[in-house]
Amino acid sequence: MHRHLQRVTVDFEYPVYFTRDAFAPANTCVREAVSGREPQRRHRLFAVLDRNVAAASPWLGESIAAYAEQHRDVLELVADPLLLDGGEAAKNDTAVAARLHTRWNELAMDRQAVVAIVGGGALLDLAGYAAAVLHRGLRVVRVPTSVLAQADSGVGVKCGVNLFGKKNFLGVFAPPFAVVNDSRFLETLAARDVVAGMAEAVKVALIRDAEFFRWLEASADGLAGGERGSLEILIRRCAELHLRHIATSGDPFELGSARPLDFGHWAAHKLESMTRHRLRHGEAVAVGLAMDATYAELAGVCDATTAAAVRTLLARLGLPLWDEALDTRNGSRRVVLDGLAEFREHLGGELTITLLRAIGDGVEVHQMDEALLDTAIGRLRPDTR
Ligand SMILES: NC(=O)c1ccc[n+]([C@@H]2O[C@H](COP(=O)([O-])OP(=O)(O)OC[C@H]3O[C@@H](n4cnc5c(N)ncnc54)[C@H](O)[C@@H]3O)[C@@H](O)[C@H]2O)c1
Ligand SMILES: [Zn+2]
């Protein structure tokens, strides 16, 4: 036998900017994001916009055109922006990716061309996925416009769309070319979505950063009221913690069974599909966090004070701890529990769930006691709390 062990090491590097008014002519973030690595040539650029973002900021299309004109030494806008529906419904419609491919074929977009995607986490996931498979990957500059996308999904390495009622059934690991977080966009985001995005900050604080959790507690009233300064601190810290995890966990593409950043997510993903996305991702994550914290308490993994602190912070931020879908049963069994098997199936390997040992300290378990989970869920009912 002859065995050749092939080893390939690839470094990924992408800048993440935090700025305001990214498309103001004097702002150089987008210019740098697109052309920084090859400043001597012009770069073909095409923008995909979340329709809701474009509707809330009607100046956006013109601003992008004016921006490209101002920086025409390095940018060439190849066509008017394409507007696509944002929100989870877009991720459920596989025809949208095909539409993008048709347009990019017409424009002869190649692997050195740049797609700027401006929108919420759902559009970034969808258009990012479409871009990642075209010619095996266009350059993507993400411009996340929601709290969740700026703090979490938009700075990470994953994208995908839903199929067969399953979240992110199709998807790839595809680091972006660059990320431009523009705080101006947050001003038009609905209050509900501002709050929903904060769930991911609570999540990452709980497993990674007790000090951040204490800051969230101290800032909860301001955050719940949408106070801008606090919101920007939350986004920055949350994004940094995610970026640090991706850079240092040793498993950025999730080849192993552990997925600590998906704390609270096994139930969240199931609740999103069970409610046909009536619940926002962040809201479903909040319910999932409350559930797994309560379970950890009942299982003796964390103490009652810790679990209560989680529920209290979520509630103070205006996030839900309960949804009526939790009561949906197949016979006597709560349907949400199917989320455990689906979560394992998505990742492969052994079931691995992150639970809370203490604030800032997650621990992995490979089994969940369904009877205990049922009790934990029952405790979240508003009438029994
Ligand atoms: N890829 C990842 O690693 C990852 C991580 C976490 C979450 N996600 C995904 O992210 C998605 C959730 O993202 P989200 O919370 O941004 O929700 P979203 O993209 O559905 O946006 C919520 C709503 O707000 C609108 N919107 C977005 N920005 C706006 C703005 N500035 N002004 C006005 N309206 C605006 C959208 O059109 C949508 O209707 C889910 O699909 C989730 O699965 C992905
Ligand atoms: Zn999430």
Side-chain angles (χ1 to χ4, degrees):
M1 136 176 147
H2 171 77
R3 176 175 181 259
H4 168 87
L5 182 62
Q6 173 81 345
R7 177 180 290 271
V8 181
T9 307
V10 184
D11 279 332
F12 290 98
E13 192 178 81
Y14 54 92
V16 179
Y17 300 88
F18 295 86
T19 187
R20 190 172 171 79
D21 286 324
F23 293 108
N27 189 316
T28 53
C29 292
V30 173
R31 175 194 174 97
E32 211 181 284
V34 174
S35 69
R37 293 181 213 182
E38 296 153 275
Q40 329 68 354
R41 69 172 179 91
R42 291 183 89 202
H43 299 260
R44 302 184 77 222
L45 175 68
F46 179 71
V48 179
L49 310 183
D50 188 316
R51 202 183 300 281
N52 295 326
V53 176
S57 301
W59 43 265
L60 186 56
E62 273 174 35
S63 276
I64 293 174
Y67 189 88
E69 179 58 25
Q70 171 81 18
H71 297 278
R72 61 186 174 279
D73 55 322
V74 289
L75 299 183
E76 177 198 350
L77 201 61
V78 296
D80 288 340
L82 178 68
L83 267 61
L84 292 178
D85 288 343
E88 198 69 26
K91 272 178 73 172
N92 289 328
D93 181 359
T94 42
V96 187
R99 237 186 103 196
L100 280 167
H101 292 154
T102 304
R103 188 70 185 119
W104 289 335
N105 179 45
E106 288 163 1
L107 295 170
M109 295 287 278
D110 62 31
R111 302 193 62 224
Q112 308 239 330
V114 178
V115 181
I117 311 172
V118 186
L123 184 75
L124 291 173
D125 270 6
L126 157 73
Y129 165 68
V133 297
L134 194 95
H135 294 307
R136 302 200 177 94
L138 304 183
R139 294 179 176 182
V140 169
V141 173
R142 299 190 195 137
V143 185
T145 58
S146 68
V147 171
L148 185 139
Q150 294 194 0
D152 181 326
S153 77
V155 302
V157 295
K158 298 191 272 184
C159 50
V161 294
N162 311 330
L163 194 63
F164 308 131
K166 293 179 182 171
K167 287 277 292 184
N168 308 320
F169 191 76
L170 297 182
V172 293
F173 289 93
F177 198 65
V179 183
V180 181
N181 273 347
D182 179 345
S183 62
R184 171 96 185 258
F185 285 116
L186 302 176
E187 289 170 11
T188 63
L189 188 65
R192 178 184 176 185
D193 289 300
V194 172
V195 169
M198 294 181 202
E200 303 279 14
V202 176
K203 169 202 77 179
V204 76
L206 280 174
I207 53 167
R208 286 280 189 265
D209 189 346
E211 199 182 313
F212 183 36
F213 187 84
R214 298 302 170 207
W215 179 86
L216 288 167
E217 288 183 318
S219 316
D221 294 338
L223 286 167
E227 204 263 303
R228 297 287 139 191
S230 301
L231 201 55
E232 283 180 35
I233 296 171
L234 174 147
I235 288 172
R236 190 79 160 256
R237 186 70 193 138
C238 186
E240 281 165 5
L241 289 166
H242 277 89
L243 288 164
R244 190 200 294 167
H245 173 84
I246 292 163
T248 64
S249 68
D251 191 17
F253 294 162
E254 298 173 3
L255 299 173
S257 303
R259 210 161 57 171
L261 292 187
D262 273 352
F263 177 38
H265 277 57
W266 70 266
H269 286 163
K270 186 65 188 170
L271 283 171
E272 284 185 79
S273 29
M274 283 177 72
T275 62
R276 294 178 191 274
H277 304 285
R278 172 176 50 72
L279 276 185
R280 293 281 206 262
H281 178 73
E283 294 167 345
V285 168
V287 176
L289 293 174
M291 188 191 297
D292 282 356
T294 307
Y295 174 87
E297 173 192 344
L298 298 182
V301 178
C302 73
D303 60 26
T305 318
T306 302
V310 176
R311 293 187 298 262
T312 304
L313 176 60
L314 292 169
R316 286 182 63 208
L317 290 172
L319 286 159
L321 308 184
W322 169 263
D323 187 83
E324 62 191 17
L326 291 171
D327 266 345
T328 309
R329 289 170 194 269
N330 187 356
S332 62
R333 189 169 182 278
R334 292 185 200 267
V335 174
V336 69
L337 298 178
D338 292 347
L340 281 171
E342 287 173 19
F343 188 72
R344 194 211 61 77
E345 191 182 305
H346 184 65
L347 192 59
E350 195 178 9
L351 175 71
T352 304
I353 300 287
T354 301
L355 289 181
L356 205 57
R357 196 154 42 190
I359 303 293
D361 182 16
V363 60
E364 273 147 26
V365 302
H366 301 289
Q367 256 178 345
M368 296 284 272
D369 179 330
E370 291 203 359
L372 211 53
L373 257 175
D374 187 76
T375 310
I377 295 169
R379 289 227 187 150
L380 294 175
R381 286 187 72 97
D383 49 347
T384 59
R385 247 187 267 148

